[in-house]
């Protein structure tokens, strides 16, 4: 299992990839397999990060068998958070 620092980094990376892929559109998402492959995150850590982010209300996940995210999308709250970060960074 990942360390605390790794888990935080995974969650941040997932949010950034989702935001960039969806271009702020809640109807667009990304598959869990693509997240895993693009970010190089182990399956169990992708699932753990997604579970955390769902709990925070930032993403929604359609789960496949074996606790694997089939499709991951940003919620309205998730989009607002990422837009605020983007505005803050200038």
């Amino acid at each position: 299992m990942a360390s605390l620092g790794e888990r935080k980094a995974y969650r941040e990376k997932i949010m950034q990839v989702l935001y960039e892929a969806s271009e702020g559109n809640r109807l667009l998402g990304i598959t869990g397999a693509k997240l895993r492959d693009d970010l190089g995150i182990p399956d169990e850590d992708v699932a753990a990060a997604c579970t955390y982010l769902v709990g925070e209300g930032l993403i929604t996940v359609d789960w496949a068998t074996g606790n694997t995210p089939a499709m991951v999308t940003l919620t309205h709250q998730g989009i607002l958070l990422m837009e605020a970060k983007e505005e803050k960074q200038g």
Side-chain angles (χ1 to χ4, degrees), residues 8 13 38 42-43 55 83:
K8 286 182 175 183
K13 288 177 184 178
D38 287 359
D43 284 334
E83 286 176 346

Side-chain angles (χ1 to χ4, degrees), residues 2-3 14 31-32 37 45 48 55 66 72 74:
S3 69
I14 287 171
T31 65
D37 295 344
D45 292 327
V72 184
L74 287 172

Side-chain angles (χ1 to χ4, degrees), residues 7-26:
R7 291 191 308 265
K8 286 182 175 183
Y10 292 160
R11 295 190 298 255
E12 186 68 33
K13 288 177 184 178
I14 287 171
M15 289 296 292
Q16 189 63 44
V17 166
L18 281 171
Y19 182 65
E20 290 171 3
S22 68
E23 298 175 347
N25 183 340
R26 287 182 20 186

Side-chain angles (χ1 to χ4, degrees), residues 2 6 8 11 17-19 32 37 45 49 51 56-57 62-63 67 70 72 74-75 77 79 85 90:
E6 289 171 326
K8 286 182 175 183
R11 295 190 298 255
V17 166
L18 281 171
Y19 182 65
D37 295 344
D45 292 327
T51 300
E56 293 295 306
D62 294 328
W63 295 97
N67 290 332
V72 184
L74 287 172
T75 64
Q77 277 186 291
I79 292 168
K85 286 185 178 187

